[in-house]
């Protein structure tokens, strides 16, 4: 948002029954658009796996943090429905406090690798321990785990396509660390220290920064400098830490999914992965909302209540658009018909945007 918003309710807002507790707050926060100088508001959105239909949306605080509110949003949504569903989210959802809040719901979540057990698992298991998946490019292994007092199934997944991308990034990171740290080690070896303890402290600080390398043939010696003063000098060289590099190689392309649906008869193992992959379409929904073609980036409103109304209208437009697109694709599939897209190739899954353009 450009400009100033005082986030105060006017008479219009009070007539609608709004209060400070449920009003959006336009303020500075973590900016995914890399504009920390601007204020912002947040749109929380849940969509269906079938057609990306918005099930739930709300305007929220500009400095809202994902992790504490994800479970609260799902609980709030769950109160408003009378049918069974599975909540699917990325690793920001997965925490002990959130899992407890969702104890009465069925969920699938990615497990953050900041959890020690998860990190050790992805680095530790070998490819021979994994079963090939019917979903091309994936293999997996399953285990029952208790975390945060919640019994759950963990699915260790290896993605071939993701592995290629991760290995490329890893190679680049190893090279960058070597170039950067080689200069630091060079300065360390050329340096003189008044005491051995100071040299040891400097080595310890440098070693703590290393993710893929280590200082080998390390030795600290005493010698006389040009001023005939005894100084400590470091001898050593930088080499790759093969044990750590192997662990990072092993973790490339791997991630862990968790669910509290314990019985395979209710949700088969491969179903966990299939359902999780469907949730990635939510990102496409947000790209739709932010697309300049829909002019959502150039709305001019003067107070926070109107901003909230515009968020609601955008979500309603998204609802109508995605319902139309879903119905179009169902009709094409039912009739076994196709339309030609931009590349002049037939498809039974066109976007409604392309249909509008081609008419």
């Amino acid at each position: 948002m450009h400009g100033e918003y005082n986030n105060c309710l006017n008479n219009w807002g009070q007539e609608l029954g709004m209060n400070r507790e449920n009003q959006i707050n336009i303020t500075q926060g973590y900016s995914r658009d890399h504009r920390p100088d601007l204020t912002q508001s947040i749109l929380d959105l849940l969509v269906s796996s079938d057609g990306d239909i918005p099930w739930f949306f709300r305007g929220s605080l500009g400095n809202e943090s994902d992790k504490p509110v994800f479970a609260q949003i799902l609980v709030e949504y769950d109160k408003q429905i009378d049918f069974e569903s599975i909540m699917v989210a990325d690793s920001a959802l997965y925490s002990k406090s959130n899992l407890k809040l969702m104890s009465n719901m069925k969920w699938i979540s990615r497990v953050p690798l900041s959890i020690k057990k998860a990190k050790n698992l992805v680095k530790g298991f070998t490819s021979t321990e994994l079963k090939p998946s019917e979903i091309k490019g994936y293999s997996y292994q399953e285990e029952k785990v208790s975390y945060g007092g919640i019994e759950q199934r963990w699915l260790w997944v290896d993605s071939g396509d993701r592995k290629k991308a991760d290995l490329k990034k890893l190679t680049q990171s190893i090279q960058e660390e070597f170039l950067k740290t080689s200069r630091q080690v060079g300065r360390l070896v050329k340096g003189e220290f008044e005491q051995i303890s100071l040299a040891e402290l400097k080595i310890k600080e440098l070693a703590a920064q290393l993710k893929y390398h280590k200082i080998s043939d390390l030795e600290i010696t005493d010698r006389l400098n040009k001023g005939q003063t005894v100084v400590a000098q470091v001898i050593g060289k930088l080499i790759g830490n093969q044990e750590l590099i192997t662990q990072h190689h092993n973790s490339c392309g791997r991630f862990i999914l968790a669910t509290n649906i314990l019985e395979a008869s209710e949700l088969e193992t491969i179903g966990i992965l299939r359902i999780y992959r469907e949730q990635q379409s939510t990102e496409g929904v947000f790209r739709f909302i932010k697309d300049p073609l829909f002019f959502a980036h150039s709305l001019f409103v003067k107070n926070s209540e109107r901003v909230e109304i515009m968020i609601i209208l955008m979500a309603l437009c998204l609802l109508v658009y995605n319902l139309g697109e879903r119905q179009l694709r169902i009709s094409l599939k039912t009739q076994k018909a196709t339309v030609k897209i931009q590349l002049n190739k037939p498809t039974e899954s066109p976007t409604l945007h392309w249909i509008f353009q081609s008419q």
Side-chain angles (χ1 to χ4, degrees):
M1 303 290 177
H2 296 262
E4 295 182 5
Y5 291 86
N6 57 19
N7 295 304
C8 293
L9 291 177
N10 55 24
N11 291 335
W12 176 84
Q14 292 171 358
E15 287 172 6
L16 287 179
M18 297 172 66
N19 55 57
R20 292 185 185 278
E21 194 173 314
N22 60 24
Q23 181 194 12
I24 65 170
N25 185 18
I26 298 171
T27 185
Q28 288 178 311
Y30 172 69
S31 174
R32 296 184 184 275
D33 292 325
H34 310 292
R35 289 300 305 269
D37 55 311
L38 299 179
T39 57
Q40 62 185 25
S41 60
I42 299 290
L43 171 63
D44 296 323
L45 179 68
L46 301 181
V47 301
S48 70
S49 60
D50 176 15
D52 303 328
I53 309 302
W55 288 108
F56 178 94
F57 54 85
R58 71 174 189 182
S60 194
L61 310 180
N63 58 358
E64 179 182 81
S65 176
D66 290 350
K67 291 185 178 182
V69 301
F70 268 7
Q72 295 172 15
I73 293 170
L74 293 178
V75 169
E76 187 176 336
Y77 162 72
D78 192 54
K79 290 177 181 176
Q80 300 180 33
I81 62 174
D82 58 358
F83 56 87
E84 193 172 277
S85 59
I86 301 174
M87 312 298 183
V88 187
D90 234 324
S91 58
L93 176 70
Y94 197 90
S95 69
K96 291 181 179 179
S97 56
N98 282 349
L99 297 186
K100 288 178 181 176
L101 271 176
M102 299 187 299
S103 58
N104 295 322
M105 286 182 271
K106 295 176 181 179
W107 50 262
I108 295 173
S109 173
R110 184 164 168 170
V111 180
L113 297 185
S114 55
I115 296 174
K116 187 175 180 179
K117 181 178 177 64
K119 183 187 293 187
N120 291 339
L121 279 174
V122 296
K123 289 181 178 179
F125 65 86
T126 62
S127 298
T128 56
E129 297 177 75
L130 299 172
K131 302 174 183 177
S133 165
E134 61 189 60
I135 301 176
K136 187 178 179 181
Y138 290 90
S139 51
Y140 66 92
Q141 183 61 271
E142 183 185 349
E143 179 180 322
K144 286 195 175 179
V145 172
S146 178
Y147 180 78
I150 307 294
E151 292 295 322
Q152 51 199 274
R153 293 155 70 192
W154 276 18
L155 188 67
W156 319 335
V157 183
D158 187 292
S159 166
D161 289 340
R162 186 185 177 95
K163 185 183 288 291
K164 292 177 185 177
D166 287 354
L167 284 173
K168 186 176 179 180
K169 288 180 182 178
L170 177 61
T171 301
Q172 184 178 350
S173 297
I174 292 172
Q175 291 173 346
E176 289 175 354
E177 183 181 87
F178 182 79
L179 292 173
K180 177 183 176 182
T181 314
S182 289
R183 292 190 289 267
Q184 293 176 301
V185 171
R187 289 193 294 267
L188 181 65
V189 170
K190 292 177 182 178
E192 296 178 347
F193 300 89
E194 295 178 0
Q195 301 174 12
I196 290 179
S197 60
L198 294 177
E200 291 174 338
L201 180 62
K202 193 68 179 177
I203 293 168
K204 187 176 181 180
E205 290 175 354
L206 181 56
Q209 301 173 24
L210 301 178
K211 291 178 65 178
Y212 313 107
H213 297 86
K214 63 182 178 181
I215 302 173
S216 178
D217 302 329
L218 184 61
E219 187 180 346
I220 302 176
T221 61
D222 292 332
R223 71 174 180 84
L224 287 174
N225 64 8
K226 293 180 180 179
Q228 298 299 304
T229 304
V230 177
V231 295
Q233 187 174 28
V234 176
I235 299 173
K237 61 182 179 180
L238 186 69
I239 65 171
N241 188 329
Q242 292 306 315
E243 183 180 351
L244 289 179
I245 290 175
T246 299
Q247 289 179 356
H248 284 286
H249 267 280
N250 287 344
S251 63
C252 285
R254 294 177 176 178
F255 56 94
I256 297 178
L257 302 178
T259 180
N260 63 341
I261 304 173
L262 300 179
E263 299 302 326
S265 57
E266 185 175 359
L267 177 62
E268 61 179 349
T269 302
I270 199 60
I272 300 172
L273 176 59
R274 184 179 291 111
I275 292 172
Y276 175 77
R277 292 176 72 228
E278 291 172 351
Q279 67 90 30
Q280 296 171 0
S281 61
T282 312
E283 296 297 332
V285 173
F286 277 111
R287 283 195 296 272
F288 171 95
I289 292 175
K290 291 187 174 186
D291 193 324
L293 288 171
F294 295 93
F295 304 104
H297 69 309
S298 55
L299 302 171
F300 298 90
V301 290
K302 290 186 177 181
N303 57 55
S304 57
E305 292 92 340
R306 291 180 180 178
V307 171
E308 187 162 24
I309 291 299
M310 292 310 302
I311 287 175
I312 293 171
L313 289 175
M314 285 165 61
L316 287 172
C317 289
L318 174 66
L319 172 66
V320 173
Y321 178 93
N322 280 2
L323 280 171
E325 185 173 88
R326 177 179 180 273
Q327 189 58 43
L328 168 67
R329 293 177 175 182
I330 290 173
S331 297
L332 287 172
K333 191 172 183 179
T334 302
Q335 298 172 28
K336 296 182 179 180
T338 61
V339 297
K340 288 186 177 180
I341 56 174
Q342 293 94 321
L343 299 176
N344 208 30
K345 292 182 179 180
T347 180
E348 60 179 23
S349 301
T351 65
L352 199 58
H353 185 196
W354 169 247
I355 298 299
F356 290 156
Q357 282 187 317
S358 58
Q359 296 305 310

